[in-house]
């Protein structure tokens, strides 16, 4: 009851409650223990229970309108004398709550801090936050790259490359890049890590050193966590001067991809190795996104847990809810769901909560469109949603990709290819690169351009061999090219990787199942040896 009463809006997810109170019981026993506790509470409270406690398959919450809080946190220690053996997470939470009272702090659902008057103290005292405010977009600063004065590298070369790299990474989804103009200012360039973090809000710093050897220019790059001062990653890039000058051989794309990849890997490492209180919200979000896109079940389930932890800790927020909707879409596409209807409903619920938290969040609106056609087969609503997003931001790569896929499922192959091509030109930089490549494969399948579809499917599998949609696209492309033996081999790989996959399960879950293109793809899968039932 205390966990519910102290939650933002009185809500906790079932998974969070299970992890806090029964961390050593395992998922199945934890669920059972939670159900038993709720049943016991119902017996204790009688008819009042249904007025106070509400639950569904995802969450448990208190009806705060039916409650009155008496007294003050200053009246005594929270849950004094309570000891839960083995519940380390709960003990840490309890210690943090008690410390907040001692420090004179209360947190609102928007994570702002209010001073609480303690005996003998003025209530105008400024309180220090007990945890970092909600920040879901990490900020990266790219300093002008240095060079040896005795080298032949032109003085402006490092500044030019850093500026180009800043603009490239600025297109990445969910990342804030400090403007290159700011990064060139003397006070910024000369600042130490603490000042960069506390004054300018920099979470990660990219620095580099240029040196030349003949026609080759080498960049030694470091990616540093400003909070810990630890170098998360370091890499050397060697290209010709002309490549650096003109962006040839996709050199800027390579460096930008490396920086963004370092950010996501660094977030996973931080969540795994640092204390809960030291972590910013964006670290949980970046970790969740990265784990979600690994497409192995253990990582995907951990991703769900991280997304829920953001909401449990900081309260309702649009981005975590939108990513949970994306989570359910990918979970269903992989064929992991044991209750398709329930998971589809959960995806829609996450979208609703994302839009309630921020109706203007472009990613939440995109996920509204994705859920509309991927899970609800409402293509008209999806098209309107994507068009609304693109009317505000015509360079939104994700909107172009998902709009192209919706057209692909409807059999409009030419439009689908044009839209996904536009998305690829805008180059979204995040761990979902394999997914966007698969969406391009689907567009070419719809256009009956099987050779390019196979190229994109193979590229996607090279990035993530666990992605079931890419493997299905490969099978369909090989069948279309009449490379039947290769198609059967790929189908065998799919069945080995996902034993429960059948034509029946494909048609029950796929957004295009009721359309001509979906039936055509189902025939190709069946021809390749995928079992009917």
């Amino acid at each position: 009851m205390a966990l519910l009463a102290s939650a933002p809006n009185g809500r906790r997810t079932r998974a969070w409650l299970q992890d806090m109170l029964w961390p050593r019981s395992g998922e199945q026993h934890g669920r059972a223990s939670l159900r038993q506790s709720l049943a016991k509470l119902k017996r204790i409270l009688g008819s009042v229970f249904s007025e106070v406690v509400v639950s569904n398959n995802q969450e448990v919450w208190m009806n705060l309108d039916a409650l009155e809080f008496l007294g003050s946190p200053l009246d005594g220690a929270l849950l004094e004398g309570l000891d839960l053996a083995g519940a380390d997470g709960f003990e840490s939470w309890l210690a943090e709550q008690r410390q907040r009272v001692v420090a004179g702090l209360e947190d609102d659902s928007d994570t702002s801090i209010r001073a609480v008057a303690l005996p003998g103290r003025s209530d105008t005292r400024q309180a220090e936050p007990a945890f970092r405010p909600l920040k879901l977009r990490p900020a990266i600063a790219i300093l002008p790259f240095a060079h040896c004065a005795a080298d032949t590298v032109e003085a402006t070369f490092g500044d030019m490359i850093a500026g180009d790299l800043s603009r490239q990474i600025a297109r990445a989804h969910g990342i804030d890049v400090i403007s290159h103009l700011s990064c060139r200012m003397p006070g910024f360039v000369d600042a130490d890590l603490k000042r960069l973090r506390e004054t300018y809000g920099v979470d990660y710093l990219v620095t580099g050193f240029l040196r030349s050897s003949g026609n080759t220019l080498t960049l030694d790059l470091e990616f540093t966590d400003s909070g810990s001062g630890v170098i998360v990653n370091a890499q050397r890039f060697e290209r010709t001067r002309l490549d650096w000058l003109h962006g040839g051989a996709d050199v800027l794309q390579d460096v930008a991809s490396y920086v963004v990849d370092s950010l996501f890997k660094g977030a996973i490492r931080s969540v795994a190795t640092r204390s809960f209180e030291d972590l910013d919200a964006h670290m949980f979000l970046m970790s969740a996104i990265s784990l979600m896109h690994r497409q192995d079940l253990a990582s995907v389930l951990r991703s769900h847990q991280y997304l829920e932890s953001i909401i449990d800790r900081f309260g309702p927020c649009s981005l975590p809810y939108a990513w949970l909707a994306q989570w359910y879409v990918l979970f269903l596409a992989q064929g992991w769901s044991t209750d398709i209807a329930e998971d589809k409903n959960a995806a829609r619920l996450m979208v609703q909560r994302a839009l309630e938290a921020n109706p203007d969040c472009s990613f939440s609106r995109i996920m509204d469109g994705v859920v509309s056609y991927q899970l609800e087969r409402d293509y008209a609503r999806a098209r309107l949603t994507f068009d609304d997003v693109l009317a505000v931001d015509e360079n939104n790569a994700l909107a172009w990709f998902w709009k192209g896929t919706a057209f692909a499922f409807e059999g409009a192959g030419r439009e689908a290819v044009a839209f996904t091509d536009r998305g690829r030109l805008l180059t979204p930089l995040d761990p979902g690169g394999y997914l966007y490549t698969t969406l391009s494969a689907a567009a070419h399948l719809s256009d009956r351009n099987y050779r390019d579809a196979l190229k994109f499917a193979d590229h996607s599998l090279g990035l993530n061999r666990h992605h079931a949609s890419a493997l299905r696209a490969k099978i369909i492309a090989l069948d279309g090219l009449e490379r039947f033996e290769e198609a059967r081999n790929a189908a065998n790989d799919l069945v080995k990787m996902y034993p429960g996959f059948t034509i029946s399960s494909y048609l029950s879950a796929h957004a295009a199942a009721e359309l001509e293109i979906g039936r055509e793809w189902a025939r190709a899968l069946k021809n390749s040896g995928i079992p009917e039932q």
Side-chain angles (χ1 to χ4, degrees):
M1 296 289 278
L3 288 171
L4 295 178
S6 62
N9 297 327
R11 288 179 177 267
R12 300 285 189 192
T13 63
R14 284 179 175 266
W16 188 86
L17 290 169
Q18 291 160 206
D19 288 341
M20 290 291 280
L21 299 174
W22 302 279
R24 301 180 183 180
S25 298
E27 185 177 354
Q28 184 173 355
H29 289 102
R31 284 199 303 266
S33 297
L34 179 57
R35 286 196 300 269
Q36 291 169 7
S37 289
L38 291 173
K40 187 174 182 179
L41 275 175
K42 188 172 184 179
R43 288 195 300 271
I44 294 171
L45 297 177
S47 60
V48 175
F49 178 83
S50 59
E51 299 176 21
V52 176
V53 180
V54 188
S55 65
N56 58 24
N57 290 333
Q58 300 291 327
E59 296 178 318
V60 183
W61 64 95
M62 271 188 170
N63 178 9
L64 298 181
D65 293 334
L67 297 173
E68 180 182 357
F69 289 86
L70 302 178
S72 161
L74 304 176
D75 293 342
L78 176 64
L79 300 178
E80 185 173 5
L82 181 62
D83 180 27
L84 296 185
D88 296 338
F90 174 80
E91 289 297 325
S92 297
W93 172 86
L94 184 57
E96 179 182 343
Q97 298 305 307
R98 289 173 176 171
Q99 182 61 38
R100 293 185 68 77
V101 175
V102 173
L105 302 176
E106 290 181 358
D107 56 293
D108 295 328
S109 60
D110 64 354
T111 73
S112 62
I113 304 300
R114 292 183 292 144
V116 178
L118 295 180
R121 298 184 184 178
S122 167
D123 61 5
T124 61
R125 178 180 55 85
Q126 293 298 312
E128 292 295 328
F131 57 83
R132 300 190 188 283
L134 180 62
K135 182 179 180 181
L136 291 171
R137 294 173 62 96
I140 296 178
I142 302 170
L143 297 187
F145 298 136
H147 66 95
C148 177
D151 207 333
T152 59
V153 178
E154 291 81 357
T156 59
F157 217 68
D159 182 61
M160 181 197 73
I161 295 174
D164 288 344
L165 185 60
S166 297
R167 288 182 286 275
Q168 185 87 354
I169 297 177
R171 300 193 320 211
H173 175 64
I175 299 172
D176 290 330
V177 179
I178 306 297
S179 73
H180 183 58
L181 182 62
S182 297
C183 292
R184 299 173 66 208
M185 301 299 290
F188 196 101
V189 173
D190 301 334
D192 59 22
L193 288 178
K194 182 178 180 181
R195 187 180 176 205
L196 285 174
R197 184 172 178 82
E198 295 180 356
T199 304
Y200 298 105
V202 175
D203 299 296
Y204 297 98
L205 188 67
V206 179
T207 56
F209 193 88
L210 285 167
R211 56 174 56 86
S212 63
S213 176
N215 194 39
T216 300
L217 198 62
T218 300
L219 172 64
D220 287 309
L221 204 71
E222 291 183 358
F223 185 81
T224 303
D225 183 332
S226 67
S228 64
V230 172
I231 297 176
V232 177
N233 229 342
Q235 182 69 28
R236 173 170 291 181
F237 296 89
E238 292 184 347
R239 298 290 193 280
T240 68
R241 283 175 174 267
L242 283 178
D243 283 341
W244 286 111
L245 185 61
H246 300 299
D250 298 321
V251 58
L252 284 176
Q253 176 68 24
D254 290 345
V255 179
S257 297
Y258 163 80
V259 169
V260 174
D261 185 60
S262 297
L263 185 151
F264 282 96
K265 288 180 177 177
I268 291 178
R269 187 183 310 164
S270 295
V271 172
T273 59
R274 289 164 61 176
S275 65
F276 185 84
E277 294 78 10
D278 291 338
L279 296 173
D280 291 310
H282 69 75
M283 293 180 177
F284 282 104
L285 183 59
M286 296 297 108
S287 296
I289 294 170
S290 187
L291 291 168
M292 180 190 309
H293 284 305
R294 285 185 180 179
Q295 293 289 278
D296 67 87
L297 188 55
S299 296
V300 168
L301 292 176
R302 191 147 50 103
S303 166
H304 192 282
Q305 182 183 15
Y306 285 173
L307 290 170
E308 286 189 323
S309 72
I310 298 171
I311 297 166
D312 286 330
R313 184 181 180 190
F314 296 102
C317 186
S318 188
L319 275 178
Y321 280 131
W323 277 106
L324 277 169
Q326 169 86 89
W327 187 95
Y328 281 105
V329 170
L330 296 178
F331 191 75
L332 286 158
Q334 286 293 102
W336 284 324
S337 176
T338 57
D339 191 332
I340 292 174
E342 181 180 349
D343 287 338
K344 286 183 177 180
N345 289 335
R348 172 50 64 190
L349 178 63
M350 295 302 104
V351 167
Q352 289 172 351
R353 290 184 179 163
L355 293 173
E356 287 169 1
N358 182 2
D360 296 323
C361 174
S362 62
F363 184 65
S364 298
R365 295 169 69 196
I366 289 170
M367 291 317 303
D368 184 17
V370 172
V371 170
S372 293
Y373 80 83
Q374 286 274 57
L375 305 185
E376 299 166 347
R377 303 179 184 181
D378 188 343
Y379 294 92
R381 175 176 174 175
R383 283 197 300 270
L384 288 173
T385 302
F386 295 137
D387 286 343
D388 286 345
V389 172
L390 291 169
V392 176
D393 178 12
E394 64 179 8
N395 291 322
N396 193 308
L398 299 184
W400 284 114
F401 271 118
W402 288 113
K403 179 179 179 178
T405 308
F407 273 77
F409 288 174
E410 291 186 275
R414 182 174 300 178
E415 292 87 347
V417 170
F419 296 149
T420 53
D421 281 353
R422 179 69 183 272
R424 285 192 298 108
L425 284 175
L426 295 169
T427 322
L429 296 170
D430 64 42
Y434 74 95
L435 173 61
Y436 310 134
T437 307
T438 300
L439 299 183
S440 290
H444 283 282
L445 285 178
S446 182
D447 200 33
R448 277 77 175 181
N449 183 357
Y450 299 115
R451 193 171 303 280
D452 283 343
L454 179 60
K455 178 187 70 174
F456 283 114
D458 278 334
H459 182 57
S460 177
L461 290 169
L463 296 172
N464 189 334
R465 64 185 181 87
H466 295 289
H467 192 39
S469 296
L471 196 46
R472 292 197 296 266
K474 179 174 182 174
I475 295 167
I476 296 165
L478 288 169
D479 182 82
L481 292 169
E482 299 183 354
R483 292 160 59 174
F484 301 121
E485 184 175 352
E486 293 175 72
R488 284 191 292 271
N489 291 336
N492 286 333
D493 292 339
L494 179 61
V495 172
K496 287 179 183 177
M497 194 175 296
Y498 302 100
F501 181 72
T502 63
I503 300 299
S504 176
S505 65
Y506 174 76
L507 291 174
S508 66
H510 200 277
E514 297 176 357
L515 303 174
E516 175 54 35
I517 197 70
R519 292 190 289 269
E520 178 182 319
W521 292 349
R523 287 193 295 271
L525 293 170
K526 185 177 179 180
N527 291 343
S528 303
I530 301 295
E532 187 76 38
Q533 298 288 342

